[in-house]
Amino acid sequence: MNLLYSNDRKAEYPASWYAATANPIDRFPVLAGDEKADVCVVGGGYTGLSAALHLAEAGFSVVLLEAHCVGFGASGRNGGQLGSAQRMDQEDLERLVGDDDAAKLWDLAEDAKALVKSLIAKHQIDCDLKPGVAVLGLSTGEQQELHDHAAHLSDRYGYDQMELLDEGAGHGLCPSPAYRGGYLDMGAAHLHPLNYALGLAQAAAKAGVRIYESTEVTGIEETAPAVVHAAQGKVTADHVILACNGYLGGLNGKVAARVMPINNFIAATEPLGTDAARVLTRDVAVADTKFVVNYFRLSADNRLLFGGGESYGYSFPADIAAKVRKPMVEIFPHLRDVKIDYAWGGTLAITMRRMPYLTRVAPNILSASGYSGHGVGTATHAGQLMALAIQGQAEGFDTMARVPTLPFPGGATLRSPLLVLAMTWFALRDRLGL
Ligand SMILES: Cc1cc2nc3c(=O)[nH]c(=O)nc-3n(C[C@H](O)[C@H](O)[C@H](O)COP(=O)(O)OP(=O)(O)OC[C@H]3O[C@@H](n4cnc5c(N)ncnc54)[C@H](O)[C@@H]3O)c2cc1C
């Protein structure tokens, strides 16, 4: 079984609201024959596209190979939230890696957000970038924890973009009976994820990257130079970047043992008209504190784009709309009978500690993946960090790579059944309100 093909048709975007509103872009050719490059990038999501773009801008010759089409994976399907910080809370990072590295990781996360905003501005990517992500708690206890967290980021790191929301202000922003208060982070942002990916691809192609689509990499010879094999051709390159994230399959065993694919789902309702104000009163995105997080925002045409629900096997559920409707109605009971026009799933990758896994799988092969639902900024940034590492400036890459990443129990073979058990337990805790 290969996640590259288990839920999708070859080289077709899923029928998402994003695909329905994608900016037009010319398709790239299939690799046919042998090519040489300084760097061969495998995977055309944010990680691979950003790495390729930065390398080409630095004067390297770059080939990028994508099994389907650019932005096909999580990068073209996600919630579009450009969140602050690393995926793991700073408080936990301070305990795990010490204050010095935690401070460096905070700075790198701020760089990641700034990088996305500057790439969009520099390459004039039309992707509806807008400021503001709120995090809301489901109880007064959670509201207080969110306030304490914001205070920690302000005191320790001088972060001043978070506005505290008490219960009244929380309901003023999001009139759901399920939520209390939390904070609104105006340094975070949201965007159209597929249009962002397509814009990166166009910028990379303009910078000279040779992009090939419908070109699945089937094997990599870890030699110097390395040889990257696809069905109808191969690329000989001094360096290789693995940027396959949740769709890696068995291409590299070391990465597969530490990075686990999971599926997550989004629905887009019919346009809500004046009912939109019963969902959100400002054009910001929201995430909540559940273990299986709910996240949502309004689209440009006033639909609710609601993300919620996960699955841990190879196949998506048969009725994705029904799967997402359940948590959506828990948060917005008045939308019980709303029509869902689009519902889609995507595969992302998580690690045991929810920090990305950046590593050298061989002296000339770098890999970055496992952003654990926090990849809009972090994956774009990891691509840049790998590009810099290849240029001999590895400080940022090494700081990320120093974060200890545990293999999943059971390795690549048994990780899935054990994960299902663990995740089901945590999801049950959500339902029981523990
Ligand atoms: C439903 C959903 C909601 C999410 N919401 C958010 C959010 O709101 N905010 C956030 O920050 N993050 C979110 N994420 C996570 C985020 O989308 C990812 O972390 C990010 O897109 C990862 O980018 P990537 O380039 O590493 O991987 P991907 O975008 O998945 O790209 C990997 C690419 O590699 C290709 N590939 C794989 N194997 C091969 C091969 N052998 N040969 C050639 N090509 C190959 C695939 O076809 C794919 O296009 C979400 C993810 C999902 C699925």
Side-chain angles (χ1 to χ4, degrees), residues 331-349:
I331 304 301
F332 298 113
H334 70 285
L335 294 181
R336 180 162 283 106
D337 299 319
V338 78
K339 191 163 164 275
I340 290 180
D341 284 343
Y342 305 87
W344 64 97
T347 300
L348 61 146

Side-chain angles (χ1 to χ4, degrees), residues 219-232:
I220 301 172
E221 284 177 55
E222 296 187 1
T223 44
V227 187
V228 180
H229 292 271
Q232 298 170 51

Side-chain angles (χ1 to χ4, degrees), residues 2 28 87 115 123 143 157 164 210 314 360 376 408:
N2 185 337
F28 297 98
R87 171 66 171 78
L115 175 66
H123 300 288
Q143 172 184 310
Y157 303 100
L164 297 188
R210 285 167 279 160
Y314 280 100
R360 290 178 171 79
V376 174
F408 280 94

Side-chain angles (χ1 to χ4, degrees), residues 299-325:
S299 67
D301 54 355
N302 261 349
R303 298 167 191 276
L304 171 60
L305 303 180
F306 189 97
E310 286 182 353
S311 76
Y312 312 114
Y314 280 100
S315 305
F316 293 172
D319 189 347
I320 296 176
K323 171 128 187 130
V324 182
R325 189 184 288 276

Side-chain angles (χ1 to χ4, degrees), residues 87-103:
R87 171 66 171 78
M88 196 174 180
D89 280 347
Q90 279 302 122
E91 293 89 331
D92 295 330
L93 277 173
E94 287 153 17
R95 282 187 285 274
L96 180 67
V97 298
D99 289 350
D100 285 355
D101 263 11

Side-chain angles (χ1 to χ4, degrees), residues 118-185:
S118 73
L119 285 170
I120 290 169
K122 178 177 172 190
H123 300 288
Q124 299 182 345
I125 300 176
D126 176 11
C127 64
D128 303 330
L129 177 70
K130 289 169 190 161
V133 175
V135 181
L136 297 176
L138 290 104
S139 64
T140 42
E142 286 183 359
Q143 172 184 310
Q144 188 56 49
E145 282 169 22
L146 291 168
H147 288 185
D148 293 346
H149 179 60
H152 183 78
L153 295 182
S154 164
D155 296 347
R156 180 74 76 103
Y157 303 100
Y159 190 63
D160 61 2
Q161 299 291 302
M162 285 175 171
E163 181 191 326
L164 297 188
L165 305 173
D166 61 18
E167 191 165 334
H171 282 156
L173 173 69
C174 174
S176 158
Y179 293 138
R180 304 291 172 262
Y183 57 74
L184 174 59
D185 179 359

Side-chain angles (χ1 to χ4, degrees), residues 43 45-47 66-67 74-75 78-79 81 217 245 247 295 371 373-376:
Y46 303 143
T47 306
E66 164 54 51
S75 300
N78 62 63
Q81 298 199 7
V217 170
N245 207 41
Y247 298 89
Y295 53 95
Y371 309 100
H374 196 67
V376 174

